[in-house]
Amino acid sequence: MIKLFAGGFPRDLEELELKDIFEQYGTVESVNIVRDKHTGISRRFGFVDMPNEEEAVLALQNLHEASIDQDVISVTYADDRKKEKPEPAPRTFGRKVEVKFKPKIYQKVSRPGERVGGKRPRKRI
């Protein structure tokens, strides 16, 4: 199964319309348009799942930079971002990590009317 990313289409485009556009090039298993969770308005991108790789490549080649209602759409593989990111280094457990805390610093503060040489309360910074 190939997952395609489609972005830049009009806000009023519905799932069935997007499915019809992609079905011109092959079988479409599912379509998911991403919407704002509060308003329900389309965020102008979505994902299309196509079971056949050859049909997905054909749809990608024909629909990338095509126009729908004067909006140019972009169609790419949805998994491209995962391939670009380097894999994180394996974590080694059991390492000792030293945490050094900054000591608390106190500043001497005098109250009005107190003598300078006597004990004064301390103010924490």
Side-chain angles (χ1 to χ4, degrees):
M1 166 128 45
I2 304 298
K3 188 172 208 165
L4 297 176
F5 168 84
F9 50 78
R11 288 195 190 280
D12 60 349
L13 191 75
E14 296 294 326
E15 279 88 357
L16 290 176
E17 295 171 325
L18 189 61
K19 184 176 182 180
D20 289 339
I21 292 169
F22 276 85
E23 278 185 339
Q24 295 174 5
Y25 303 101
T27 308
V28 174
E29 190 168 301
S30 67
V31 174
N32 179 24
I33 292 180
V34 179
R35 299 183 181 278
D36 183 73
K37 67 180 180 179
H38 299 294
T39 62
I41 298 173
S42 169
R43 294 187 59 200
R44 299 187 65 198
F45 70 92
F47 298 95
V48 178
D49 291 331
M50 299 183 79
N52 189 345
E53 185 175 352
E54 295 164 358
E55 294 172 351
V57 170
L58 185 64
L60 182 121
Q61 291 172 347
N62 289 314
L63 291 175
H64 182 66
E65 296 185 355
S67 62
I68 300 175
D69 295 339
Q70 300 172 349
D71 289 333
V72 177
I73 65 169
S74 172
V75 179
T76 59
Y77 291 106
D79 299 332
D80 280 349
R81 291 187 216 165
K82 292 180 185 174
K83 293 176 185 173
E84 292 174 5
K85 291 182 182 176
E87 292 188 21
R91 296 183 68 179
T92 57
F93 295 99
R95 271 191 311 169
K96 290 186 178 180
V97 179
E98 293 183 29
V99 179
K100 295 182 180 178
F101 292 100
K102 187 175 178 182
K104 296 178 183 176
I105 300 173
Y106 291 94
Q107 177 184 4
K108 293 182 180 181
V109 177
S110 63
R111 293 184 181 161
E114 284 188 2
R115 9 174 264 195
V116 178
K119 291 187 176 181
R120 291 176 277 180
R122 297 178 182 259
K123 179 180 177 184
R124 186 174 163 196
I125 297 178

